[in-house]
Coordinates of all heavy atoms in Angstrom, one line a residue:
M235 N -39.1 9.9 30.7 CA -39.7 10.0 29.4 C -40.7 8.8 29.2 O -40.4 7.7 29.5 CB -38.6 9.9 28.3 CG -39.1 10.2 27.0 SD -37.9 10.1 25.6 CE -36.5 11.0 26.2
N236 N -41.9 9.2 28.8 CA -42.9 8.1 28.7 C -42.6 7.3 27.4 O -41.9 7.8 26.5 CB -44.3 8.7 28.7 CG -44.6 9.6 27.6 OD1 -44.1 9.4 26.5 ND2 -45.5 10.5 27.8
R237 N -43.3 6.2 27.2 CA -43.1 5.3 26.1 C -43.4 6.0 24.8 O -42.6 5.8 23.8 CB -43.9 4.0 26.3 CG -43.7 3.0 25.2 CD -44.6 1.8 25.4 NE -44.3 0.8 24.4 CZ -44.8 0.9 23.1 NH1 -45.6 1.9 22.8 NH2 -44.5 0.0 22.2
E238 N -44.5 6.7 24.7 CA -44.8 7.3 23.4 C -43.8 8.3 23.0 O -43.4 8.4 21.8 CB -46.2 8.0 23.5 CG -47.4 7.1 23.5 CD -47.6 6.5 24.9 OE1 -47.1 7.0 25.9 OE2 -48.3 5.4 25.0
R239 N -43.3 9.0 23.9 CA -42.2 10.0 23.6 C -41.0 9.4 23.1 O -40.3 9.8 22.2 CB -42.0 10.9 24.8 CG -41.0 12.0 24.5 CD -41.1 13.2 25.6 NE -40.0 14.1 25.4 CZ -39.9 15.0 24.5 NH1 -40.9 15.1 23.6 NH2 -38.9 15.9 24.4
R240 N -40.6 8.3 23.8 CA -39.4 7.5 23.4 C -39.5 7.0 21.9 O -38.6 7.1 21.1 CB -39.1 6.3 24.3 CG -38.3 6.7 25.5 CD -37.7 5.5 26.2 NE -38.7 4.5 26.6 CZ -39.3 4.5 27.8 NH1 -39.1 5.4 28.7 NH2 -40.2 3.5 28.0
V241 N -40.7 6.4 21.6 CA -41.0 5.9 20.3 C -40.9 7.1 19.3 O -40.3 6.9 18.2 CB -42.4 5.2 20.2 CG1 -42.8 4.9 18.8 CG2 -42.3 3.9 21.0
F242 N -41.5 8.2 19.6 CA -41.5 9.4 18.7 C -40.1 9.8 18.5 O -39.7 10.0 17.3 CB -42.3 10.5 19.4 CG -42.2 11.8 18.6 CD1 -42.9 12.0 17.4 CD2 -41.4 12.8 19.0 CE1 -42.8 13.1 16.7 CE2 -41.3 14.0 18.3 CZ -42.0 14.2 17.1
M243 N -39.3 9.9 19.5 CA -37.9 10.3 19.3 C -37.1 9.3 18.5 O -36.3 9.7 17.7 CB -37.2 10.4 20.7 CG -37.8 11.5 21.6 SD -37.7 13.1 20.8 CE -36.0 13.5 21.0
L244 N -37.4 8.0 18.6 CA -36.7 7.0 17.8 C -37.1 7.1 16.3 O -36.2 7.0 15.4 CB -37.0 5.6 18.3 CG -36.3 5.1 19.6 CD1 -36.9 3.8 20.1 CD2 -34.8 5.0 19.3
V245 N -38.4 7.4 16.1 CA -38.8 7.6 14.7 C -38.2 8.8 14.1 O -37.7 8.8 13.0 CB -40.4 7.7 14.6 CG1 -40.8 8.1 13.3 CG2 -41.0 6.3 15.0
V246 N -38.2 9.9 14.8 CA -37.5 11.1 14.3 C -36.1 10.9 14.0 O -35.5 11.3 13.0 CB -37.7 12.3 15.3 CG1 -36.8 13.5 14.9 CG2 -39.2 12.7 15.4
S247 N -35.4 10.2 14.9 CA -34.0 9.9 14.7 C -33.8 9.0 13.5 O -32.8 9.3 12.7 CB -33.5 9.1 16.0 OG -32.1 8.8 15.8
A248 N -34.6 8.0 13.3 CA -34.5 7.2 12.1 C -34.7 7.9 10.8 O -34.0 7.8 9.8 CB -35.4 6.0 12.2
I249 N -35.7 8.8 10.8 CA -36.0 9.6 9.6 C -34.8 10.6 9.3 O -34.4 10.7 8.2 CB -37.3 10.4 9.8 CG1 -38.5 9.4 9.8 CG2 -37.5 11.4 8.7 CD1 -39.8 10.0 10.2
S250 N -34.3 11.2 10.4 CA -33.1 12.1 10.2 C -31.9 11.3 9.6 O -31.3 11.8 8.7 CB -32.7 12.7 11.5 OG -33.8 13.5 12.0
A251 N -31.7 10.1 10.1 CA -30.5 9.4 9.6 C -30.8 9.0 8.1 O -29.8 9.1 7.3 CB -30.4 8.1 10.4
A252 N -32.0 8.6 7.8 CA -32.3 8.3 6.4 C -32.1 9.5 5.5 O -31.6 9.4 4.4 CB -33.7 7.7 6.3
A253 N -32.6 10.6 5.9 CA -32.5 11.9 5.1 C -31.0 12.2 5.0 O -30.6 12.6 3.9 CB -33.2 13.0 5.8
A254 N -30.2 12.1 6.0 CA -28.8 12.4 5.9 C -28.1 11.5 4.9 O -27.3 11.9 4.1 CB -28.1 12.3 7.3
A255 N -28.4 10.2 5.0 CA -27.8 9.3 4.0 C -28.2 9.6 2.6 O -27.4 9.5 1.7 CB -28.3 7.8 4.4
S256 N -29.4 10.0 2.4 CA -29.9 10.3 1.1 C -29.2 11.5 0.5 O -28.7 11.6 -0.6 CB -31.4 10.6 1.1 OG -31.9 11.0 -0.2
L257 N -29.0 12.6 1.4 CA -28.2 13.8 1.0 C -26.8 13.4 0.6 O -26.2 14.0 -0.3 CB -28.3 14.8 2.1 CG -29.6 15.6 2.2 CD1 -29.6 16.5 3.4 CD2 -29.9 16.4 0.9
A258 N -26.2 12.5 1.4 CA -24.8 12.1 1.1 C -24.7 11.5 -0.2 O -23.6 11.7 -0.9 CB -24.3 11.2 2.2
R259 N -25.7 10.7 -0.7 CA -25.6 10.1 -2.0 C -25.8 11.1 -3.1 O -25.3 10.9 -4.2 CB -26.7 9.0 -2.1 CG -26.3 7.7 -1.4 CD -27.3 6.6 -1.8 NE -28.6 6.8 -1.5 CZ -29.2 6.6 -0.3 NH1 -28.5 6.0 0.6 NH2 -30.5 6.8 -0.1
A260 N -26.6 12.1 -2.9 CA -26.9 13.1 -3.9 C -25.7 14.1 -4.0 O -25.5 15.0 -3.2 CB -28.1 13.9 -3.6
Q261 N -24.8 13.9 -5.0 CA -23.6 14.7 -5.1 C -23.9 15.8 -6.1 O -24.7 15.7 -7.0 CB -22.5 13.9 -5.6 CG -22.1 12.8 -4.6 CD -20.9 11.9 -5.0 OE1 -20.6 11.9 -6.2 NE2 -20.3 11.3 -4.1
A262 N -23.1 16.9 -5.9 CA -23.2 18.0 -6.8 C -22.7 17.7 -8.2 O -21.8 16.8 -8.4 CB -22.5 19.2 -6.2
H263 N -23.3 18.4 -9.2 CA -22.8 18.3 -10.6 C -21.4 19.0 -10.7 O -21.3 20.1 -10.1 CB -23.8 18.8 -11.6 CG -25.1 18.0 -11.6 ND1 -26.2 18.4 -12.2 CD2 -25.4 16.8 -11.0 CE1 -27.1 17.5 -12.1 NE2 -26.7 16.6 -11.3
L264 N -20.6 18.5 -11.5 CA -19.3 19.1 -11.7 C -19.5 20.4 -12.5 O -20.2 20.5 -13.5 CB -18.4 18.2 -12.5 CG -17.0 18.8 -12.9 CD1 -16.2 19.1 -11.7 CD2 -16.3 17.8 -13.8
D265 N -18.9 21.5 -12.0 CA -19.0 22.8 -12.6 C -17.9 22.9 -13.7 O -16.8 22.7 -13.4 CB -18.8 23.9 -11.5 CG -19.1 25.3 -12.1 OD1 -19.0 25.5 -13.3 OD2 -19.5 26.1 -11.2
E266 N -18.3 23.4 -14.9 CA -17.3 23.6 -15.9 C -16.2 24.6 -15.5 O -15.2 24.5 -16.1 CB -18.0 24.1 -17.2 CG -19.0 23.1 -17.8 CD -19.7 23.7 -19.1 OE1 -19.5 24.8 -19.4 OE2 -20.4 22.9 -19.7
K267 N -16.6 25.4 -14.6 CA -15.6 26.4 -14.1 C -14.7 25.9 -13.0 O -13.8 26.7 -12.6 CB -16.3 27.7 -13.7 CG -17.0 28.4 -14.8 CD -17.7 29.6 -14.4 CE -18.4 30.3 -15.6 NZ -19.8 30.8 -15.3
D268 N -15.0 24.7 -12.5 CA -14.1 24.1 -11.5 C -12.7 24.1 -12.1 O -12.5 23.8 -13.3 CB -14.5 22.7 -11.2 CG -13.6 21.9 -10.4 OD1 -12.5 21.5 -10.9 OD2 -13.9 21.7 -9.2
P269 N -11.6 24.6 -11.4 CA -10.3 24.7 -12.0 C -9.8 23.4 -12.7 O -9.2 23.5 -13.8 CB -9.4 25.0 -10.8 CG -10.3 25.7 -9.9 CD -11.7 25.0 -10.0
Q270 N -10.0 22.2 -12.1 CA -9.5 21.0 -12.7 C -10.4 20.7 -13.9 O -9.8 20.2 -14.9 CB -9.6 19.8 -11.7 CG -9.0 18.5 -12.2 CD -9.1 17.4 -11.3 OE1 -9.4 17.5 -10.1 NE2 -8.8 16.2 -11.8
A271 N -11.7 20.9 -13.8 CA -12.5 20.7 -15.0 C -12.2 21.6 -16.1 O -12.1 21.1 -17.3 CB -14.0 20.9 -14.5
A272 N -12.0 22.8 -15.8 CA -11.6 23.8 -16.9 C -10.3 23.4 -17.5 O -10.1 23.5 -18.7 CB -11.6 25.2 -16.3
A273 N -9.3 23.0 -16.7 CA -8.0 22.6 -17.2 C -8.1 21.5 -18.2 O -7.4 21.4 -19.2 CB -7.1 22.2 -16.1
L274 N -9.1 20.6 -18.0 CA -9.3 19.4 -18.9 C -10.4 19.7 -20.0 O -10.8 18.8 -20.7 CB -9.7 18.2 -18.1 CG -8.6 17.6 -17.3 CD1 -9.1 16.5 -16.3 CD2 -7.5 17.0 -18.2
G275 N -10.9 21.0 -20.0 CA -11.9 21.4 -21.0 C -13.2 20.7 -20.8 O -14.0 20.6 -21.8
Y276 N -13.6 20.4 -19.6 CA -14.8 19.7 -19.3 C -16.0 20.6 -19.8 O -16.0 21.8 -19.5 CB -15.0 19.3 -17.9 CG -16.4 18.8 -17.5 CD1 -16.8 17.5 -17.9 CD2 -17.3 19.6 -16.9 CE1 -18.1 17.0 -17.6 CE2 -18.6 19.1 -16.6 CZ -19.0 17.9 -17.0 OH -20.2 17.4 -16.7
V277 N -16.9 20.0 -20.5 CA -18.2 20.7 -20.9 C -19.3 19.7 -20.6 O -19.2 18.5 -20.7 CB -18.2 21.1 -22.4 CG1 -17.3 22.3 -22.6 CG2 -17.8 19.9 -23.3
E278 N -20.5 20.3 -20.2 CA -21.7 19.5 -19.9 C -22.2 18.8 -21.2 O -22.9 17.8 -21.2 CB -22.8 20.4 -19.3 CG -22.5 20.8 -17.9 CD -23.4 20.0 -16.9 OE1 -24.6 19.7 -17.3 OE2 -22.9 19.7 -15.8
D279 N -21.9 19.5 -22.3 CA -22.4 19.0 -23.6 C -21.2 18.8 -24.5 O -20.5 19.8 -24.9 CB -23.4 20.0 -24.2 CG -23.9 19.6 -25.6 OD1 -23.5 18.6 -26.1 OD2 -24.8 20.3 -26.0
S280 N -20.9 17.6 -24.9 CA -19.7 17.3 -25.7 C -19.7 18.1 -27.0 O -18.6 18.4 -27.5 CB -19.7 15.8 -26.0 OG -18.6 15.5 -26.8
A281 N -20.9 18.4 -27.5 CA -20.9 19.2 -28.8 C -20.3 20.6 -28.6 O -20.0 21.3 -29.6 CB -22.4 19.3 -29.2
K282 N -20.2 21.0 -27.3 CA -19.7 22.4 -27.1 C -18.2 22.4 -26.7 O -17.6 23.4 -26.3 CB -20.5 23.0 -26.0 CG -21.9 23.3 -26.4 CD -22.7 24.0 -25.4 CE -24.1 24.2 -25.9 NZ -25.1 24.5 -24.9
A283 N -17.5 21.2 -26.9 CA -16.1 21.2 -26.6 C -15.3 22.2 -27.5 O -15.7 22.4 -28.7 CB -15.6 19.8 -26.8
D284 N -14.3 22.7 -27.0 CA -13.4 23.7 -27.7 C -12.6 22.9 -28.8 O -11.5 22.3 -28.4 CB -12.6 24.4 -26.8 CG -11.8 25.6 -27.4 OD1 -11.6 25.5 -28.7 OD2 -11.4 26.5 -26.7
E285 N -13.1 22.9 -30.0 CA -12.4 22.1 -31.1 C -11.0 22.6 -31.4 O -10.1 21.9 -31.8 CB -13.3 22.1 -32.3 CG -14.6 21.5 -32.2 CD -14.6 20.0 -31.9 OE1 -13.6 19.4 -32.3 OE2 -15.6 19.5 -31.4
K286 N -10.8 23.9 -31.2 CA -9.5 24.5 -31.5 C -8.5 24.1 -30.5 O -7.3 23.7 -30.8 CB -9.6 26.0 -31.6 CG -10.2 26.5 -32.8 CD -10.2 28.0 -32.9 CE -10.9 28.5 -34.1 NZ -11.2 29.9 -34.1
K287 N -8.9 24.1 -29.2 CA -8.0 23.7 -28.1 C -7.8 22.2 -28.0 O -6.8 21.7 -27.6 CB -8.6 24.3 -26.8 CG -7.6 24.4 -25.7 CD -8.3 25.2 -24.5 CE -7.4 25.2 -23.3 NZ -8.0 25.9 -22.2
F288 N -8.9 21.5 -28.4 CA -8.8 20.0 -28.3 C -9.2 19.4 -29.7 O -10.3 18.8 -29.8 CB -9.8 19.5 -27.2 CG -9.6 20.2 -25.9 CD1 -10.4 21.1 -25.4 CD2 -8.5 19.8 -25.1 CE1 -10.2 21.7 -24.2 CE2 -8.2 20.4 -23.9 CZ -9.1 21.4 -23.4
P289 N -8.3 19.4 -30.6 CA -8.6 19.0 -32.0 C -8.8 17.5 -32.1 O -9.4 17.0 -33.1 CB -7.3 19.4 -32.8 CG -6.2 19.5 -31.8 CD -6.9 20.0 -30.5
N290 N -8.4 16.7 -31.1 CA -8.7 15.2 -31.1 C -10.1 14.9 -30.7 O -10.5 13.7 -30.7 CB -7.7 14.5 -30.3 CG -6.3 14.6 -30.9 OD1 -6.1 14.7 -32.1 ND2 -5.2 14.6 -30.1
H291 N -10.8 15.9 -30.2 CA -12.2 15.6 -29.7 C -13.1 15.2 -30.9 O -13.0 15.8 -32.0 CB -12.8 16.8 -29.1 CG -14.3 16.8 -28.8 ND1 -15.2 17.3 -29.7 CD2 -15.0 16.2 -27.9 CE1 -16.4 17.0 -29.3 NE2 -16.3 16.4 -28.2
T292 N -14.0 14.2 -30.7 CA -15.0 13.9 -31.7 C -16.3 13.9 -31.0 O -16.5 13.7 -29.8 CB -14.7 12.5 -32.3 OG1 -14.9 11.5 -31.3 CG2 -13.4 12.4 -32.9
A293 N -17.4 14.1 -31.8 CA -18.7 14.2 -31.3 C -19.2 12.9 -30.6 O -20.0 13.0 -29.7 CB -19.7 14.5 -32.4
S294 N -18.6 11.8 -30.9 CA -19.1 10.5 -30.3 C -18.5 10.3 -28.9 O -18.8 9.4 -28.2 CB -18.7 9.3 -31.2 OG -17.3 9.2 -31.3
Q295 N -17.5 11.1 -28.6 CA -16.9 11.0 -27.2 C -17.8 11.7 -26.2 O -17.9 12.9 -26.2 CB -15.5 11.7 -27.2 CG -14.5 11.0 -28.2 CD -13.2 11.7 -28.3 OE1 -13.1 12.9 -27.8 NE2 -12.2 11.1 -28.8
I296 N -18.4 10.9 -25.4 CA -19.3 11.5 -24.3 C -19.0 10.7 -23.0 O -18.5 9.5 -23.0 CB -20.8 11.4 -24.6 CG1 -21.2 10.0 -25.0 CG2 -21.1 12.3 -25.8 CD1 -22.7 9.8 -25.2
C297 N -19.2 11.4 -21.9 CA -18.9 10.8 -20.6 C -19.5 9.4 -20.4 O -18.9 8.5 -19.8 CB -19.3 11.7 -19.5 SG -18.4 13.2 -19.4
S298 N -20.7 9.2 -20.9 CA -21.4 7.9 -20.7 C -20.7 6.8 -21.4 O -21.0 5.6 -21.1 CB -22.9 8.0 -21.0 OG -23.0 8.3 -22.4
S299 N -19.8 7.1 -22.4 CA -19.1 6.0 -23.0 C -17.6 6.0 -22.7 O -16.8 5.4 -23.3 CB -19.3 6.1 -24.6 OG -18.7 7.3 -25.1
C300 N -17.3 6.8 -21.6 CA -15.9 6.9 -21.2 C -15.6 5.8 -20.1 O -16.4 5.6 -19.2 CB -15.6 8.3 -20.6 SG -14.0 8.5 -19.9
A301 N -14.4 5.3 -20.1 CA -14.0 4.2 -19.2 C -13.9 4.8 -17.7 O -14.1 4.1 -16.8 CB -12.7 3.6 -19.6
L302 N -13.8 6.1 -17.6 CA -13.6 6.7 -16.3 C -15.0 7.1 -15.7 O -15.1 7.4 -14.5 CB -12.7 7.9 -16.3 CG -11.3 7.6 -16.9 CD1 -10.5 8.9 -16.9 CD2 -10.6 6.6 -16.0
G303 N -16.0 7.2 -16.5 CA -17.3 7.4 -16.0 C -18.0 6.2 -15.4 O -17.6 5.1 -15.8
Q304 N -18.8 6.3 -14.4 CA -19.4 5.2 -13.7 C -20.9 5.2 -14.0 O -21.7 5.1 -13.1 CB -19.1 5.2 -12.3 CG -17.6 5.2 -12.0 CD -17.2 5.5 -10.6 OE1 -18.0 5.9 -9.8 NE2 -15.9 5.3 -10.3
F305 N -21.3 5.3 -15.3 CA -22.7 5.4 -15.7 C -23.4 4.0 -15.7 O -22.8 3.0 -16.2 CB -22.8 6.0 -17.1 CG -22.5 7.5 -17.0 CD1 -21.2 8.0 -17.1 CD2 -23.6 8.4 -16.8 CE1 -21.0 9.4 -17.0 CE2 -23.4 9.8 -16.8 CZ -22.1 10.2 -16.8
R306 N -24.6 4.0 -15.3 CA -25.5 2.9 -15.5 C -26.5 3.3 -16.6 O -26.7 4.5 -16.7 CB -26.2 2.4 -14.2 CG -25.2 1.7 -13.3 CD -25.9 1.4 -12.0 NE -26.1 2.6 -11.2 CZ -26.4 2.7 -9.9 NH1 -26.5 1.6 -9.2 NH2 -26.5 3.8 -9.3
T307 N -27.1 2.4 -17.2 CA -28.0 2.7 -18.3 C -29.1 3.7 -17.9 O -29.7 3.6 -16.9 CB -28.7 1.4 -18.8 OG1 -27.7 0.5 -19.2 CG2 -29.6 1.7 -20.0
G308 N -29.2 4.8 -18.7 CA -30.2 5.8 -18.5 C -29.9 6.9 -17.5 O -30.7 7.8 -17.4
E309 N -28.7 6.8 -16.9 CA -28.4 7.9 -15.9 C -27.9 9.1 -16.7 O -27.2 9.1 -17.6 CB -27.3 7.4 -15.0 CG -27.7 6.4 -14.0 CD -26.6 6.1 -13.0 OE1 -25.4 6.0 -13.4 OE2 -26.9 5.9 -11.8
S310 N -28.4 10.3 -16.2 CA -28.0 11.6 -16.8 C -26.7 12.1 -16.2 O -26.0 12.8 -16.9 CB -29.1 12.6 -16.5 OG -30.3 12.2 -17.1
Y311 N -26.5 11.7 -15.0 CA -25.2 12.1 -14.3 C -24.7 11.0 -13.5 O -25.5 10.1 -13.0 CB -25.5 13.3 -13.3 CG -25.7 14.6 -14.0 CD1 -26.9 15.0 -14.5 CD2 -24.6 15.5 -14.2 CE1 -27.1 16.2 -15.2 CE2 -24.8 16.7 -14.9 CZ -26.0 17.0 -15.4 OH -26.2 18.2 -16.1
A312 N -23.4 10.9 -13.4 CA -22.8 9.8 -12.6 C -21.4 10.3 -12.2 O -20.9 11.3 -12.6 CB -22.7 8.5 -13.4
N313 N -20.8 9.5 -11.3 CA -19.5 9.8 -10.8 C -18.4 9.6 -11.9 O -18.6 8.7 -12.8 CB -19.1 8.9 -9.6 CG -20.0 9.2 -8.4 OD1 -20.6 10.3 -8.3 ND2 -20.1 8.2 -7.5
C314 N -17.3 10.3 -11.8 CA -16.2 10.1 -12.7 C -15.0 9.9 -11.8 O -14.8 10.7 -10.8 CB -16.0 11.3 -13.6 SG -14.4 11.3 -14.4
T315 N -14.1 9.0 -12.0 CA -13.0 8.7 -11.1 C -12.0 9.9 -11.1 O -11.3 10.1 -10.2 CB -12.2 7.5 -11.5 OG1 -11.8 7.6 -12.9 CG2 -13.0 6.2 -11.3
L316 N -12.1 10.8 -12.1 CA -11.2 12.0 -12.1 C -11.7 13.1 -11.2 O -10.9 13.9 -10.8 CB -11.1 12.6 -13.5 CG -10.1 12.1 -14.5 CD1 -10.0 13.0 -15.7 CD2 -8.7 12.0 -13.8
F317 N -13.0 13.1 -10.9 CA -13.5 14.2 -10.1 C -14.3 13.7 -8.9 O -15.5 13.7 -8.9 CB -14.5 15.0 -11.0 CG -13.8 15.6 -12.2 CD1 -14.0 15.1 -13.5 CD2 -13.0 16.7 -12.1 CE1 -13.4 15.6 -14.6 CE2 -12.3 17.2 -13.3 CZ -12.5 16.7 -14.5
P318 N -13.6 13.2 -7.9 CA -14.2 12.6 -6.7 C -15.2 13.6 -6.1 O -14.9 14.8 -6.0 CB -13.1 12.3 -5.8 CG -11.9 12.3 -6.6 CD -12.1 13.3 -7.8
G319 N -16.4 13.1 -5.7 CA -17.3 13.9 -5.0 C -18.2 14.8 -5.9 O -19.1 15.5 -5.4
K320 N -18.0 14.7 -7.2 CA -18.9 15.4 -8.2 C -19.4 14.5 -9.2 O -18.8 13.4 -9.4 CB -18.0 16.5 -8.9 CG -17.4 17.5 -8.0 CD -18.4 18.5 -7.4 CE -17.7 19.4 -6.4 NZ -18.3 20.6 -6.3
Q321 N -20.5 14.8 -9.9 CA -21.0 14.0 -10.9 C -20.9 14.7 -12.3 O -21.1 15.9 -12.3 CB -22.5 13.6 -10.6 CG -22.6 12.7 -9.4 CD -23.9 12.0 -9.4 OE1 -24.9 12.6 -9.6 NE2 -23.8 10.7 -9.1
V322 N -20.6 14.0 -13.3 CA -20.5 14.5 -14.6 C -21.7 14.2 -15.5 O -22.4 13.2 -15.2 CB -19.2 14.1 -15.3 CG1 -18.0 14.5 -14.5 CG2 -19.2 12.5 -15.5
S323 N -21.9 15.0 -16.5 CA -23.1 14.8 -17.4 C -22.8 13.6 -18.4 O -21.7 13.4 -18.9 CB -23.3 16.0 -18.2 OG -24.2 15.8 -19.2
A324 N -23.9 12.8 -18.6 CA -23.7 11.7 -19.6 C -23.3 12.2 -20.9 O -22.6 11.5 -21.7 CB -25.1 10.9 -19.6
K325 N -23.8 13.4 -21.3 CA -23.5 14.0 -22.6 C -22.2 14.8 -22.5 O -21.8 15.5 -23.5 CB -24.6 14.8 -23.1 CG -25.9 14.0 -23.3 CD -27.0 14.9 -23.7 CE -28.3 14.1 -23.9 NZ -29.5 15.0 -24.2
G326 N -21.5 14.9 -21.4 CA -20.4 15.7 -21.2 C -19.1 15.1 -21.9 O -19.1 14.1 -22.5
W327 N -18.0 15.9 -21.7 CA -16.8 15.4 -22.2 C -15.6 16.2 -21.6 O -15.8 17.3 -21.1 CB -16.7 15.8 -23.7 CG -15.4 15.4 -24.4 CD1 -15.0 14.2 -24.9 CD2 -14.3 16.3 -24.6 NE1 -13.7 14.3 -25.4 CE2 -13.3 15.6 -25.2 CE3 -14.0 17.7 -24.3 CZ2 -12.0 16.1 -25.5 CZ3 -12.8 18.2 -24.6 CH2 -11.8 17.5 -25.2
C328 N -14.5 15.6 -21.5 CA -13.3 16.3 -21.1 C -12.1 15.6 -21.8 O -12.2 14.6 -22.4 CB -13.0 16.3 -19.6 SG -12.1 14.9 -18.9
N329 N -11.0 16.3 -21.8 CA -9.8 15.9 -22.6 C -9.2 14.6 -22.1 O -8.3 14.0 -22.7 CB -8.8 17.0 -22.6 CG -7.7 16.8 -23.7 OD1 -8.1 16.3 -24.8 ND2 -6.5 17.1 -23.4
A330 N -9.6 14.1 -20.9 CA -9.1 12.8 -20.4 C -9.9 11.6 -20.9 O -9.7 10.5 -20.5 CB -9.1 12.8 -18.9
F331 N -10.8 11.9 -21.8 CA -11.7 10.8 -22.3 C -11.0 9.6 -22.7 O -10.0 9.7 -23.5 CB -12.5 11.3 -23.5 CG -13.4 10.3 -24.2 CD1 -14.7 10.0 -23.7 CD2 -12.9 9.5 -25.2 CE1 -15.5 9.0 -24.2 CE2 -13.7 8.5 -25.8 CZ -15.0 8.3 -25.3
V332 N -11.4 8.4 -22.3 CA -10.9 7.1 -22.7 C -12.1 6.2 -23.0 O -12.9 6.0 -22.2 CB -10.1 6.4 -21.5 CG1 -9.6 5.1 -21.9 CG2 -9.0 7.3 -21.0
K333 N -12.1 5.8 -24.3 CA -13.2 5.0 -24.8 C -13.4 3.7 -23.9 O -12.4 3.0 -23.7 CB -13.1 4.7 -26.2 CG -14.2 3.9 -26.8 CD -14.1 3.8 -28.3 CE -15.2 3.0 -28.9 NZ -16.6 3.4 -28.7
R334 N -14.6 3.5 -23.4 CA -14.8 2.3 -22.6 C -14.6 1.1 -23.5 O -15.0 1.0 -24.7 CB -16.3 2.3 -22.1 CG -16.6 1.2 -21.1 CD -18.0 1.2 -20.6 NE -18.2 2.4 -19.8 CZ -19.4 3.0 -19.7 NH1 -20.4 2.6 -20.3 NH2 -19.5 4.1 -19.0
G335 N -13.9 0.1 -23.0 CA -13.7 -1.2 -23.7 C -12.5 -1.1 -24.7 O -12.2 -2.0 -25.3
A336 N -11.8 0.1 -24.7 CA -10.7 0.2 -25.6 C -9.4 -0.4 -25.0 O -9.3 -0.6 -23.8 CB -10.4 1.7 -25.9
Ligands
SF4_117 FE1 -16.3 12.5 -18.8 FE2 -14.4 10.7 -19.0 FE3 -13.7 13.2 -18.7 FE4 -14.8 11.8 -16.7 S1 -12.8 11.4 -17.7 S2 -15.3 13.9 -17.3 S3 -16.3 10.5 -17.7 S4 -14.8 12.3 -20.4

């Protein structure tokens, strides 16, 4: 293999590794129909929580202010310790909500 070909192969390999790492970081959003999510009444929009089923829900309870969410300022989606490998909506809610700092 000549030098140019080796360099080309190294560059392609490095780009592929970077792309794979990037894909690994981009996690899927949690589906409201996921069995565990549905069991906890997870909704992408806290305003759409089932008030009859979850009477303790309040409009101010959103994933971005939950102690289990791992949100940084301005993020629309982030990880939640309850749902490994999936990301929840900043405006979402589930019945396991725990106010951050409480
Ligand atoms: Fe959102 Fe908290 Fe429920 Fe996770 S535990 S889905 S951050 S309300």
Side-chain angles (χ1 to χ4, degrees):
M235 191 183 307
N236 66 30
R237 183 179 182 282
E238 287 79 18
R239 183 159 171 76
R240 273 197 305 268
V241 169
F242 174 77
M243 295 303 284
L244 285 171
V245 169
V246 168
S247 176
I249 290 171
S250 297
S256 177
L257 283 174
R259 281 194 300 272
Q261 296 179 342
H263 295 171
L264 178 63
D265 188 334
E266 293 178 356
K267 293 179 182 139
D268 172 283
Q270 185 182 348
L274 289 170
Y276 173 76
V277 283
E278 287 254 325
D279 180 352
S280 181
K282 294 181 179 165
D284 186 338
E285 300 291 341
K286 287 184 181 167
K287 199 170 178 183
F288 305 106
N290 293 330
H291 167 264
T292 66
S294 65
Q295 297 175 345
I296 55 175
C297 291
S298 61
S299 64
C300 176
L302 301 178
Q304 299 168 351
F305 286 85
R306 287 178 287 198
T307 304
E309 285 185 322
S310 302
Y311 285 85
N313 294 340
C314 167
T315 54
L316 270 191
F317 301 104
K320 302 287 175 150
Q321 292 200 315
V322 298
S323 167
K325 295 177 181 172
W327 177 86
C328 87
N329 196 37
F331 176 87
V332 179
K333 185 171 173 56
R334 188 179 295 153

